[in-house]
Amino acid sequence: MNDPTRSRSLRIRAALAVAAVTGLGATALTALPAAAAGEAVTVQYRQSSTGGDQVEPWLKVVNTGSSSVPLSQVKVRYYFKADAGASYTYACSWAVKGCANLTGTFGTLAHPTATADRYLEVGFTAGAGSLAPGADTGDMQLRFNRSNWQPLDQSDDYSFGPSQTTYANWSKVTATVGGVPVWGTAPAGNEPTPTPTDPTTPPPTGAALFDDFDYTGHTDPAIDAHGWSIRSNAGGPGVSGATWAPENVTFAKEGTNSIMNLRSSTAGTGESTRHTEILTRASKFKNGTYAARVRFSDAPVSGPDGDRVVQTFFTINDLKAPMADDYAEYDFEYLPNGGWGEPANILYTTSWETYRPDPWEAVNQHSESRASYAGWHDLVLTVDDNAIVYYVDGQEFGRHDARYLPERPMSINFNQWLIDLAGQTSTTPRAYDQKVDYVLHVKDQVLTPAQVAAKVGAYRTAGTTFQDTVPATP
């Protein structure tokens, strides 16, 4: 995986608005959901700045219904007209619920209007809790700016209210609960549609890779026979002089499942640093569904905490030349101790079009959540001819534009590495674990997270620990 140390400030952050993910050859979607009885919210808005370099929509979500509303089910959209060629960066200045419990992603409207072609979608993590009837979230002091901090024009933005200097209901911001529209009016032709309920029936049989990681150790000949390579060659990303250590990739039973563990360690020098990575030798994976169950760690298993660790699940192909447009990479990256300018834990999903190593230039799009993701998580990535969609624990985490779709097939990878040694300068040895339960790829089929779980369950019920029917060429 390339070294994205300088890329975070250059992310191109727009997302293709697609009403629902449809399966290529998958089972039909079930009936649309209805909001739970008594669930209703309104959105209050005030503008904090009419200035020329950033937008500051301050929002409150108010529960106007008769039952409690889990905020993790609420999505709020603020609509605006993008400046020509601009990409945007979201930030939370302050929030009663805590900025770490808010997410912000950008989307592109399917039907642009004179006052809107983009939107900022604000969501909540489980840590935001629930709203009792009559309660509100309190201030959410949000802002966004052009990624290069060039001047911007709010005057033609659909949701902007220049005279709205105190909080009041604002129908030009929309809200959904559990995917069901409950508040506001979207720009004409872009009314939110209910999110279909995930089907749970496994999709039809098709070409697939499944591995339960049931091996005896890193030298087990079945690893090579199944198409995997455990990295031992030198090089980036991460700490200069570090070693990629195959012996630190181990396998053990936890309950009834076999678990792969990637242990990375350091004693504060490049020579003492051990990174870990496992990847498919073949680059034969392109459109379809990718899934893995991964356990991220916030703290080391031993020694002092604080290293800028990156724990990953990703797909990638090779960069044939600087800024080559057939490069592709799709990442889940968890930074338990921050890094790349972030002070604390953050989860990124990133879709790459291309980059140039020197001088650094990146073309990519990402979504993030500033929260702890310690523990087991179900990670799902879908790629079709329209969009790249990331899910975490069954919930959509990021949706990225068609311009980032892959032109060539990719390999599948897991690795754990240290960005640098500045986060923790101690020379006391310490080690971090990243665990993986399984990996799944289904070629040319877009599965819902529920279908992924059903398919993995079917493999395990049948006693299948490995299968690879994906052809050598896509």
Side-chain angles (χ1 to χ4, degrees), residues 110-251:
H111 303 287
T113 71
T115 59
D117 56 11
R118 303 275 186 92
Y119 60 82
L120 169 67
E121 182 171 88
V122 180
F124 301 85
T125 70
S130 298
L131 283 184
D136 64 64
T137 59
D139 277 347
M140 297 187 292
Q141 298 181 8
L142 312 179
R143 55 188 169 88
F144 63 92
N145 56 271
R146 292 183 60 166
S147 298
N148 58 8
W149 283 101
Q150 291 297 304
L152 50 76
D153 180 12
Q154 297 189 65
S155 65
D156 58 353
D157 290 352
Y158 177 86
S159 294
F160 178 55
S163 62
Q164 194 77 9
T165 57
T166 59
Y167 277 113
N169 290 353
W170 193 246
S171 63
K172 288 189 174 183
V173 175
T174 62
T176 59
V177 177
V180 179
V182 295
W183 173 258
T185 302
N190 295 279
E191 293 75 13
T193 55
T195 302
T197 301
D198 280 354
T200 57
T201 305
T205 300
L209 166 70
F210 173 73
D211 202 330
D212 218 10
F213 295 114
D214 191 6
Y215 302 111
T216 59
H218 74 281
T219 60
D220 190 331
I223 294 175
D224 181 74
H226 291 169
W228 294 101
S229 175
I230 301 180
R231 182 175 175 181
S232 59
N233 60 297
V239 174
S240 178
T243 300
W244 294 83
E247 66 275 12
N248 285 2
V249 179
T250 58
F251 304 87

Side-chain angles (χ1 to χ4, degrees), residues 251-275:
F251 304 87
K253 289 286 187 181
E254 290 190 7
T256 59
N257 292 342
S258 178
I259 302 297
M260 176 172 67
N261 189 64
L262 283 69
R263 175 163 294 183
S264 296
S265 59
T266 189
T269 65
E271 294 72 19
S272 68
T273 302
R274 300 289 183 268
H275 294 157

